[in-house]
Amino acid sequence: MKAKYIFGAAALMLSMSMTSCVNDLDVEPIDPSTSMTPNAEAHFNKCYANFAVAGNGGANGDCDIDGLDGGTTGYWRQMFNANELTSDEAFCGWGDEGIADFCNNTWGASHPMLKGYYYRLFFGVTMCNYYLSECADYNETMTAEVRFLRAFHYHQLLDCFGKNIPFIVEMSSEMAKPAQGNQVYEFIEKELLEIEPMLMEPAARRMGQEGYGRADKAAAWMLLARLYLNAQVYTGTAQWDKAEMYAVKVIDRSGRKLCKTPGSSFTTNEGETREWSAYQKLFMGDNGETDAADEAILALLQDGITTTSWGTSLFAMASTFKADMVLVKDKTANGTSENWAGNRARKDLVAKFFDGDASKAPNGTCWEMVNAAGDDRALLWGKDRNLDIVNAGEFTDGFSVCKFTNHYSNNGAPHNGQFPDADMFIMRMAEAYLTAAEAITRGAGATNLNAVALDYVNTVRSRAHASEKNAMTINELADEWSREFYFEGRRRSDLIRFGFYGGSNYTWQWKGGVMGGQSIATYRNVFAIPDTDLSANSNLIQNEGYK
């Protein structure tokens, strides 16, 4: 398996025509013999497109990564698999090679999906390096954005694969050398601080407005806050004050706000009249067109006609739904024709909405679950489901998740019956509030949240109509992160930061391949460098524990 680096020989000057990031990410390759000058705007858009589509032809076109089906190598899909299936939130019973190893925490250096994620991220680094080598002088703001995207890729590589990853910041035919010490961390920090003045001014933007889906100053602040929040994990040195500073900067100066207004009323399949909650609107088909977009700090743009992918919004919806999970009367289960019945909730996720006791959760519909939990975020389906996962291959073993849908919050019709319009928010305002709360508490060396930290948490909880907390320990905050962000691709990182991943401080159902859960080695806090890259590059060193 390898990335199809399209930058060598005659293809180096390939010009790709892409429409603006504002509207879609269609890609149309042009014969390189007809255009030997780099198209800066096309290459700029390709740097963004790497996040949203698998290759230059949308869902059914070619893939940028050799060796895996394009539908499985989409950035968001592999981010989900690596960070959710390996945690206490998600479980999948599909027979695809590598799925069981994820769910049971038994992956190794030959894991096919980890290779797909690794090469997808490095393909993104290469796209950015190429743009910076050929087009850096074209536009100062665009260049700053590409540097942000490269830093974002490197952050995820650092978080998942550790300090020994190849480090490449320019186009070269030389084999990459592994990063040394805290080189990647320091590079990310330096890049973000340098580019901040050149990025667009922070502002809430929606579909059709210039800059929607692109990184502005607030995205840099949020990535810095994320980097500093995990600094102790990455470098051994905590940076709580800096994490707090940049999170508060996002809260106070980003121009964004939590989405708090409900959507339209509708009739459930059981005949009840309800309205879409503000939290649900973040994950619906029209989220880029409503005040849900005002919460987005960085969004992956999707559209059922112009920007399609098997590995982004559709994966989030189809992989979690079965056709029996009908939310709206006379409509398909999730607003698309696809119901793949794969990913579902572990018992441990359900318990977080019921004071740690999953048995309190009803075997009912999504709406019955929300009512019982007293929390709009409990978008779980227990009807005709078993709470415990006994049979890994049976989708009804485990409660289902109905968080992501292509229904419209104004009850409008989606553009396409198969591919969704819902954008994927990979950074949103709630992260800033919970980051600030955690950083304040840890910076004070406290075990309980103070009044300011609690206020940040309760701001997020109140949006979901969850009761306000009068007190919360730092360990309880780990559950709040899960309640707000489950199935959004960050759980593994949060568990590691709280000391709940490798080791025996916390076990969950099927952790370590045992139904009751067991300890896993701490070296699994990072994934293995793929064996294919080690074979191809003798400079690289395998992460400890995987030798």
Side-chain angles (χ1 to χ4, degrees):
M1 181 189 301
K2 62 181 183 303
K4 290 187 201 171
Y5 295 112
I6 60 172
F7 309 107
L12 182 63
M13 298 302 178
L14 177 66
S15 174
M16 294 170 289
S17 174
M18 298 181 65
T19 58
S20 169
C21 278
V22 171
N23 294 312
D24 62 71
L25 294 169
D26 271 350
V27 181
E28 229 177 88
I30 297 175
D31 184 346
S33 66
T34 66
S35 178
M36 297 304 291
T37 301
N39 183 327
E41 294 191 7
H43 285 294
F44 172 77
N45 282 319
K46 179 63 177 178
C47 291
Y48 276 101
N50 182 59
F51 287 103
V53 293
N56 289 352
N60 297 313
D62 65 344
C63 177
D64 293 324
I65 310 296
D66 277 341
L68 284 177
D69 175 80
T72 68
T73 61
Y75 159 77
W76 197 91
R77 180 170 182 164
Q78 290 307 341
M79 179 184 69
F80 174 93
N81 286 341
N83 292 295
E84 295 291 345
L85 294 183
T86 61
S87 80
D88 62 342
E89 291 184 350
F91 191 92
C92 185
W94 288 337
D96 307 46
E97 184 183 0
I99 290 291
D101 289 333
F102 269 148
C103 293
N104 296 322
N105 309 100
T106 56
W107 61 82
S110 61
H111 194 281
M113 293 179 181
L114 283 176
K115 290 181 183 181
Y117 189 36
Y118 178 91
Y119 287 119
R120 170 63 61 187
L121 292 171
F122 269 116
F123 180 74
V125 169
T126 302
M127 293 298 304
C128 294
N129 283 343
Y130 177 71
Y131 178 92
L132 295 172
S133 72
E134 301 293 329
C135 310
D137 295 333
Y138 179 77
N139 178 281
E140 182 181 66
T141 300
M142 289 166 61
T143 294
E145 288 180 54
V146 172
R147 290 173 68 183
F148 168 86
L149 295 177
R150 183 175 61 177
F152 189 95
H153 282 95
Y154 265 123
H155 172 264
Q156 296 202 308
L157 283 161
L158 173 65
D159 186 76
C160 284
F161 296 96
K163 298 181 179 182
N164 294 327
I165 56 173
F167 186 63
I168 320 162
V169 293
E170 58 186 18
M171 298 302 296
S172 173
S173 59
E174 299 291 325
M175 287 193 296
K177 295 181 179 179
Q180 302 296 312
N182 295 323
Q183 186 177 18
V184 177
Y185 177 94
E186 293 167 357
F187 169 78
I188 296 167
E189 179 185 36
K190 182 173 180 289
E191 282 286 280
L192 294 173
L193 293 174
E194 285 184 0
I195 66 174
E196 179 193 348
M198 286 89 80
L199 290 167
M200 292 182 293
E201 289 301 313
R205 299 175 175 89
R206 301 184 187 181
M207 180 67 71
Q209 296 179 332
E210 185 176 359
Y212 177 64
R214 292 169 56 182
D216 63 13
K217 285 182 172 65
W221 300 338
M222 193 69 255
L223 187 54
L224 278 166
R226 189 181 288 186
L227 181 73
Y228 291 136
L229 188 67
N230 292 284
Q232 192 167 46
V233 174
Y234 301 151
T235 71
T237 301
Q239 298 286 359
W240 308 121
D241 289 347
K242 291 181 179 179
E244 177 191 351
M245 178 179 72
Y246 279 99
V248 172
K249 203 170 187 178
V250 172
I251 294 168
D252 292 343
R253 296 177 52 189
S254 70
R256 273 70 161 200
K257 59 184 178 180
L258 293 178
C259 174
K260 293 184 178 180
T261 58
S264 299
S265 297
F266 65 96
T267 303
T268 71
N269 195 50
E270 293 72 37
E272 178 188 4
T273 299
R274 296 187 69 97
E275 62 184 12
W276 299 107
S277 72
Y279 183 77
Q280 282 177 294
K281 287 169 62 178
L282 300 171
F283 315 102
M284 297 182 71
D286 58 346
N287 61 353
E289 304 168 25
T290 69
D291 58 343
D294 297 346
E295 182 165 335
I297 297 171
L298 189 64
L300 306 185
L301 275 55
Q302 297 285 280
D303 180 88
I305 297 175
T306 58
T307 308
T308 61
S309 169
W310 297 105
T312 311
S313 301
L314 182 61
F315 174 76
M317 297 170 191
S319 72
T320 54
F321 268 79
K322 187 179 178 181
D324 65 348
M325 298 163 59
V326 180
L327 305 181
V328 184
K329 187 176 178 62
D330 299 325
K331 291 191 177 183
T332 60
N334 58 17
T336 81
S337 60
E338 303 293 319
N339 301 280
W340 302 342
N343 296 315
R344 66 266 201 190
R346 298 190 197 232
K347 178 180 181 179
D348 312 85
L349 171 58
V350 179
K352 289 170 176 50
F353 289 100
F354 294 93
D355 299 320
D357 185 356
S359 68
K360 295 179 181 177
N363 286 96
T365 67
C366 173
W367 314 123
E368 292 172 313
M369 194 74 67
V370 167
N371 290 343
D375 192 324
D376 292 341
R377 301 172 296 184
L379 299 172
L380 306 169
W381 184 279
K383 186 178 180 181
D384 300 320
R385 302 292 189 267
N386 301 313
L387 182 60
D388 288 300
I389 299 172
V390 178
N391 183 350
E394 180 52 64
F395 181 70
T396 56
D397 267 17
F399 280 14
S400 301
V401 173
C402 35
K403 183 172 180 174
F404 303 92
T405 79
N406 201 40
H407 297 306
Y408 271 39
S409 65
N410 64 3
N411 298 324
H415 299 163
N416 184 281
Q418 182 181 35
F419 292 102
D421 303 322
D423 299 332
M424 296 300 293
F425 298 164
I426 55 175
M427 285 183 171
R428 56 185 182 87
M429 279 296 292
E431 179 180 354
Y433 283 91
L434 296 187
T435 297
E438 183 178 339
I440 288 169
T441 308
R442 293 191 186 278
T447 57
N448 296 286
L449 277 64
N450 65 19
V452 175
L454 267 177
D455 184 61
Y456 283 132
V457 172
N458 283 327
T459 298
V460 173
R461 289 180 60 82
S462 64
R463 184 264 296 278
H465 297 105
S467 60
E468 290 193 2
K469 294 285 188 179
N470 295 319
M472 180 179 283
T473 68
I474 189 66
N475 284 346
E476 288 171 341
L477 184 58
D479 287 346
E480 195 64 43
W481 275 109
S482 184
R483 283 186 286 267
E484 179 68 25
F485 285 100
Y486 66 96
F487 276 49
E488 293 185 51
R490 63 171 294 135
R491 185 56 174 169
R492 171 191 152 274
S493 183
D494 290 334
L495 286 172
I496 291 169
R497 188 175 66 256
F498 279 86
F500 291 160
Y501 198 72
S504 58
N505 288 340
Y506 170 48
T507 57
W508 55 83
Q509 196 167 79
W510 290 110
K511 181 180 182 181
V514 175
M515 184 178 174
Q518 65 178 351
S519 173
I520 61 174
T522 55
Y523 74 78
R524 292 194 178 276
N525 284 355
V526 295
F527 295 120
I529 303 293
D531 55 7
T532 45
D533 222 25
L534 289 170
S535 298
N537 186 350
S538 59
N539 291 330
L540 301 183
I541 303 169
Q542 183 57 277
N543 288 327
E544 183 180 354
Y546 292 105
K547 297 178 181 178

